[in-house]
Amino acid sequence: MVKNNVKYLLAIMFIVFSVSVFINSCAPKKPKVDQTAIMREQQRAAEEARLKAEEEERRKFEEAIKIEQERKAAEEEEKRKFEEAMKAEQKRKAAEEARLKAEEEGKRGIEEEKLKEEEEIKPQIAREAEVKVVPQLDDIHFDFDKSDIRTDAREILQKNADWLQNNPDIKIQIEGHCDERGTAEYNLALGERRAMSTKKYLISLGISADRIYTISYGEELPIDPNHSEDSWAKNRRAHFLVITK
Amino acid sequence: MNKKTSVSDQRSAIKVLLFFLLFTVHCSLFSAFADTSDVYLSITKAGGAKIKIAIPDFLVQEGAIDRENFSKKSSEILTNDLNNSGFFKTIENRDILKEIDAKDKKTGKINFNEWTSLGAEILAKGHITIEGGKINIECRLYALKSGEQIIGYKYGGDRTTFRQMIHKFSDEITYRFTGENGIAQTMLTFVSKVTGNKEVYISDYDGQNIRKITDDKSISLFPKWSPDGKNIIYATYRYRNPDLYLIDVADGKKTPVSIFPGINAPASWSPDGKRLAVSLSKDGNAEIYTMDFDGKNLSRLTKSRSIETSPAWSPNGIEIAFTSDRGGSPQVYIMGSDGTNLRRLTYQGKYNDQSSWSPDGNKIAYTSLNGGQFNIFVIDLVSSKVQQLTSDTGDNQNPVWSPDGRRIAFSSNRDGKYQIYAMNSDGTDQRRIIYLEGGGYSPSWSQRIE
């Protein structure tokens, strides 16, 4: 009997063992698989959350930059507007000053207006003309290496201009001359400048540019061939001739 | 072992011997060459000691017209040329030259020892034959120490080219000793009032052979040789305005180049002879422009209220020097030939003008007005160092370089009227080269005419 019991016991144990093996091999596997999936799911969720957070952060950062840029642009625009306004103000002021100065000059004389005309006047030549000296037109004189109209010359030019106003059909030739104390090359240009500044002065006194021809003789035709301060002063001149043909 | 060593010893001994032999042969060959030609070059390069040359009167065939004159003139021209070159010193005692030459003629050979005893190192001899209008000159140059002929040439021409033939021989001699062409065949142009009016004249570089080439009966100014030596550009008042004209030297034909109202001068040639830099006042005041030599393709380079004049094109064509008073007084400036890269060159002196580039482009000579007197200065473009070349000799103006850069021609009134002078480029050896009653102004020196 004992032997039988043992057999039964063994049989039961076997059955129990088999059942447990069966249970172990089938049922318990499922929950284990689920566990990993959940962990993965959790990890993914965490990752997504992190990415999302990062994305959000970046978006916020970019937004901040954008806002900063917009702010800066606005500031610059403001600054530009301000500068423009300043410039406009300055321009207005300059214009006002120029106007005032022009008014002032208008009261004092004609200096400023003359300069404006300078750029436009070009030399004219009377190639086929015949010329003669008339006693009514006097020479004017210049300082060494200068072509500006001296005070003593203004009077003479006024007189010459008056005569020209009274003789509106007469055309004249102005010759620019230099003394020998300069190079022939430079004096050619200086004589031209003397003739031109004389012409401009006459224009400013109301004489038409069409009536005035100019030519530079540089240092080639001195009126006084001597080599003294006196002779040089005489030779630095603008000479007036009437065109007869 | 011992045998081998002795063989290799023998071999190396032979090698040494061979090398020594070769070396010796080489040396002797070298010195042999040196004795014939290269030595002449080295004489001049060693510290500027001049080569002493004997030039007896040229031999002229019996019975030729004007025999005496041709004989004397030829040696005179050559003597003057070689002295002018700066490389040679001629034997001055003409009596002794005549005596030894007579001895040569008598014995029918050159008595080299006698010539050497004069202190001469080389001897130039010429033989002239005249047939009809044709003149032939046989020119020979001898090295006295070795008794060898260095060069020999035969030139043919007539009375009008007589001087040119001798100049040519002189340039050959200069070339032989310096490796550089001489300037004896170059020419000058200048202005003179011989007729009462300023007209343009030309002459040989030595001031001889003067010819008037304009007859404008007006005022002619600033003549400048074209680089090929065929044309001269100049300013004339003939048509009642300072216009720029081109004159063909061979036939005297004149062509207007720039005739704008106002000034059209002075002008300067580009080194290739294709363009001109000119000062024009057509736009109101004198500015620098460039144009083709026929006046086309005008281009404005400066724009200012001041005077811009005296353009001078650099020898490499890249730059133009000019005078401007934009800083308050006339000073020399330099800009690119397109008007860019403007810079001021002169700071010394209150009135500087008439700049002229040395042929190597390293220096500019100019005129400076100081204390009421004009003098010639040279500024080094690299170091900016300024050197005064003339002083205490009246007024000195319009410096122009010879094409070899060794001489500078200029005009000076040191003897009364302005006349044409020349000096070495360091200011030494100042000599009048032209004297005319009508004076001499504004010289221009031609390039070597090929």
Side-chain angles (χ1 to χ4, degrees), chain A residues 207-226:
Chain A
I207 308 302
S208 162
D210 302 341
R211 298 174 63 191
I212 309 167
Y213 295 85
T214 53
I215 184 167
S216 168
Y217 279 105
E219 62 180 65
E220 304 303 324
L221 298 176
I223 198 165
D224 183 340
N226 293 311

mmCIF file of all heavy atoms in Angstrom, chain A residues 207-226:
data_model
loop_
_atom_site.group_PDB
_atom_site.id
_atom_site.type_symbol
_atom_site.label_atom_id
_atom_site.label_comp_id
_atom_site.label_asym_id
_atom_site.label_seq_id
_atom_site.Cartn_x
_atom_site.Cartn_y
_atom_site.Cartn_z
ATOM 1 N N ILE A 207 25.895 143.382 -68.606
ATOM 2 C CA ILE A 207 26.299 143.278 -70.006
ATOM 3 C C ILE A 207 26.088 141.834 -70.466
ATOM 4 O O ILE A 207 26.473 140.892 -69.779
ATOM 5 C CB ILE A 207 27.776 143.681 -70.202
ATOM 6 C CG1 ILE A 207 28.068 145.047 -69.573
ATOM 7 C CG2 ILE A 207 28.148 143.668 -71.690
ATOM 8 C CD1 ILE A 207 27.222 146.192 -70.104
ATOM 9 N N SER A 208 25.505 141.665 -71.645
ATOM 10 C CA SER A 208 25.208 140.332 -72.155
ATOM 11 C C SER A 208 26.494 139.571 -72.506
ATOM 12 O O SER A 208 27.414 140.138 -73.105
ATOM 13 C CB SER A 208 24.317 140.455 -73.395
ATOM 14 O OG SER A 208 24.378 139.247 -74.120
ATOM 15 N N ALA A 209 26.517 138.278 -72.150
ATOM 16 C CA ALA A 209 27.696 137.442 -72.422
ATOM 17 C C ALA A 209 27.997 137.363 -73.919
ATOM 18 O O ALA A 209 29.152 137.215 -74.318
ATOM 19 C CB ALA A 209 27.476 136.048 -71.850
ATOM 20 N N ASP A 210 26.956 137.488 -74.754
ATOM 21 C CA ASP A 210 27.138 137.396 -76.207
ATOM 22 C C ASP A 210 27.967 138.542 -76.772
ATOM 23 O O ASP A 210 28.444 138.459 -77.902
ATOM 24 C CB ASP A 210 25.772 137.444 -76.914
ATOM 25 C CG ASP A 210 24.872 136.331 -76.455
ATOM 26 O OD1 ASP A 210 25.420 135.347 -75.905
ATOM 27 O OD2 ASP A 210 23.645 136.441 -76.628
ATOM 28 N N ARG A 211 28.090 139.607 -76.005
ATOM 29 C CA ARG A 211 28.823 140.777 -76.509
ATOM 30 C C ARG A 211 30.296 140.731 -76.121
ATOM 31 O O ARG A 211 31.052 141.628 -76.478
ATOM 32 C CB ARG A 211 28.193 142.055 -75.946
ATOM 33 C CG ARG A 211 26.745 142.263 -76.376
ATOM 34 C CD ARG A 211 26.149 143.465 -75.678
ATOM 35 N NE ARG A 211 26.838 144.699 -76.040
ATOM 36 C CZ ARG A 211 26.656 145.862 -75.410
ATOM 37 N NH1 ARG A 211 25.832 145.929 -74.376
ATOM 38 N NH2 ARG A 211 27.306 146.928 -75.794
ATOM 39 N N ILE A 212 30.681 139.698 -75.368
ATOM 40 C CA ILE A 212 32.051 139.685 -74.830
ATOM 41 C C ILE A 212 32.825 138.454 -75.294
ATOM 42 O O ILE A 212 32.447 137.318 -75.013
ATOM 43 C CB ILE A 212 32.032 139.717 -73.283
ATOM 44 C CG1 ILE A 212 31.147 140.864 -72.779
ATOM 45 C CG2 ILE A 212 33.462 139.860 -72.752
ATOM 46 C CD1 ILE A 212 30.814 140.773 -71.303
ATOM 47 N N TYR A 213 33.902 138.678 -76.024
ATOM 48 C CA TYR A 213 34.804 137.609 -76.439
ATOM 49 C C TYR A 213 36.070 137.695 -75.593
ATOM 50 O O TYR A 213 36.463 138.785 -75.196
ATOM 51 C CB TYR A 213 35.133 137.735 -77.931
ATOM 52 C CG TYR A 213 33.922 137.530 -78.801
ATOM 53 C CD1 TYR A 213 33.055 138.588 -79.089
ATOM 54 C CD2 TYR A 213 33.619 136.267 -79.293
ATOM 55 C CE1 TYR A 213 31.918 138.385 -79.864
ATOM 56 C CE2 TYR A 213 32.489 136.064 -80.078
ATOM 57 C CZ TYR A 213 31.643 137.127 -80.358
ATOM 58 O OH TYR A 213 30.531 136.917 -81.115
ATOM 59 N N THR A 214 36.681 136.538 -75.344
ATOM 60 C CA THR A 214 37.892 136.558 -74.499
ATOM 61 C C THR A 214 39.047 135.853 -75.199
ATOM 62 O O THR A 214 38.855 134.938 -76.003
ATOM 63 C CB THR A 214 37.643 135.835 -73.156
ATOM 64 O OG1 THR A 214 37.138 134.532 -73.424
ATOM 65 C CG2 THR A 214 36.671 136.601 -72.289
ATOM 66 N N ILE A 215 40.236 136.263 -74.856
ATOM 67 C CA ILE A 215 41.452 135.588 -75.335
ATOM 68 C C ILE A 215 42.567 135.826 -74.320
ATOM 69 O O ILE A 215 42.679 136.913 -73.749
ATOM 70 C CB ILE A 215 41.857 136.082 -76.759
ATOM 71 C CG1 ILE A 215 43.072 135.288 -77.272
ATOM 72 C CG2 ILE A 215 42.129 137.583 -76.780
ATOM 73 C CD1 ILE A 215 43.342 135.476 -78.763
ATOM 74 N N SER A 216 43.344 134.770 -74.076
ATOM 75 C CA SER A 216 44.504 134.928 -73.193
ATOM 76 C C SER A 216 45.772 135.027 -74.031
ATOM 77 O O SER A 216 45.986 134.221 -74.935
ATOM 78 C CB SER A 216 44.638 133.730 -72.256
ATOM 79 O OG SER A 216 45.899 133.778 -71.613
ATOM 80 N N TYR A 217 46.587 136.015 -73.736
ATOM 81 C CA TYR A 217 47.901 136.114 -74.377
ATOM 82 C C TYR A 217 49.019 135.752 -73.406
ATOM 83 O O TYR A 217 50.201 135.935 -73.728
ATOM 84 C CB TYR A 217 48.123 137.514 -74.963
ATOM 85 C CG TYR A 217 47.444 137.686 -76.306
ATOM 86 C CD1 TYR A 217 46.276 138.425 -76.422
ATOM 87 C CD2 TYR A 217 47.965 137.086 -77.443
ATOM 88 C CE1 TYR A 217 45.648 138.569 -77.660
ATOM 89 C CE2 TYR A 217 47.351 137.215 -78.669
ATOM 90 C CZ TYR A 217 46.188 137.960 -78.784
ATOM 91 O OH TYR A 217 45.577 138.091 -80.004
ATOM 92 N N GLY A 218 48.635 135.245 -72.230
ATOM 93 C CA GLY A 218 49.661 134.861 -71.262
ATOM 94 C C GLY A 218 50.640 135.983 -71.037
ATOM 95 O O GLY A 218 50.244 137.132 -70.842
ATOM 96 N N GLU A 219 51.932 135.662 -71.103
ATOM 97 C CA GLU A 219 52.956 136.700 -70.911
ATOM 98 C C GLU A 219 53.558 137.146 -72.235
ATOM 99 O O GLU A 219 54.615 137.763 -72.278
ATOM 100 C CB GLU A 219 54.051 136.157 -69.983
ATOM 101 C CG GLU A 219 54.775 134.929 -70.563
ATOM 102 C CD GLU A 219 55.863 134.404 -69.649
ATOM 103 O OE1 GLU A 219 55.527 133.949 -68.553
ATOM 104 O OE2 GLU A 219 57.040 134.456 -70.053
ATOM 105 N N GLU A 220 52.871 136.804 -73.352
ATOM 106 C CA GLU A 220 53.485 136.990 -74.672
ATOM 107 C C GLU A 220 53.472 138.430 -75.177
ATOM 108 O O GLU A 220 54.282 138.788 -76.023
ATOM 109 C CB GLU A 220 52.802 136.071 -75.692
ATOM 110 C CG GLU A 220 52.816 134.580 -75.331
ATOM 111 C CD GLU A 220 54.230 134.053 -75.110
ATOM 112 O OE1 GLU A 220 55.144 134.492 -75.820
ATOM 113 O OE2 GLU A 220 54.398 133.213 -74.214
ATOM 114 N N LEU A 221 52.548 139.254 -74.724
ATOM 115 C CA LEU A 221 52.457 140.617 -75.246
ATOM 116 C C LEU A 221 52.519 141.653 -74.122
ATOM 117 O O LEU A 221 51.527 142.329 -73.843
ATOM 118 C CB LEU A 221 51.155 140.794 -76.051
ATOM 119 C CG LEU A 221 50.965 139.921 -77.292
ATOM 120 C CD1 LEU A 221 49.581 140.154 -77.910
ATOM 121 C CD2 LEU A 221 52.044 140.194 -78.336
ATOM 122 N N PRO A 222 53.688 141.810 -73.494
ATOM 123 C CA PRO A 222 53.777 142.810 -72.422
ATOM 124 C C PRO A 222 53.648 144.213 -73.012
ATOM 125 O O PRO A 222 54.147 144.484 -74.107
ATOM 126 C CB PRO A 222 55.177 142.575 -71.841
ATOM 127 C CG PRO A 222 55.952 141.932 -72.943
ATOM 128 C CD PRO A 222 54.953 141.110 -73.713
ATOM 129 N N ILE A 223 52.969 145.091 -72.290
ATOM 130 C CA ILE A 223 52.821 146.473 -72.770
ATOM 131 C C ILE A 223 54.095 147.249 -72.456
ATOM 132 O O ILE A 223 54.454 148.192 -73.135
ATOM 133 C CB ILE A 223 51.568 147.118 -72.140
ATOM 134 C CG1 ILE A 223 51.132 148.350 -72.927
ATOM 135 C CG2 ILE A 223 51.758 147.433 -70.674
ATOM 136 C CD1 ILE A 223 49.722 148.806 -72.582
ATOM 137 N N ASP A 224 54.792 146.786 -71.417
ATOM 138 C CA ASP A 224 56.064 147.403 -71.016
ATOM 139 C C ASP A 224 57.120 146.298 -70.935
ATOM 140 O O ASP A 224 57.032 145.404 -70.095
ATOM 141 C CB ASP A 224 55.884 148.081 -69.651
ATOM 142 C CG ASP A 224 57.152 148.801 -69.191
ATOM 143 O OD1 ASP A 224 58.240 148.478 -69.711
ATOM 144 O OD2 ASP A 224 57.043 149.668 -68.319
ATOM 145 N N PRO A 225 58.116 146.321 -71.824
ATOM 146 C CA PRO A 225 59.074 145.217 -71.891
ATOM 147 C C PRO A 225 60.153 145.235 -70.800
ATOM 148 O O PRO A 225 60.993 144.339 -70.758
ATOM 149 C CB PRO A 225 59.705 145.394 -73.274
ATOM 150 C CG PRO A 225 59.597 146.854 -73.549
ATOM 151 C CD PRO A 225 58.372 147.350 -72.845
ATOM 152 N N ASN A 226 60.139 146.252 -69.944
ATOM 153 C CA ASN A 226 61.183 146.319 -68.923
ATOM 154 C C ASN A 226 60.957 145.296 -67.805
ATOM 155 O O ASN A 226 59.905 144.688 -67.707
ATOM 156 C CB ASN A 226 61.261 147.736 -68.357
ATOM 157 C CG ASN A 226 61.753 148.705 -69.411
ATOM 158 O OD1 ASN A 226 62.753 148.450 -70.077
ATOM 159 N ND2 ASN A 226 61.006 149.785 -69.604
#
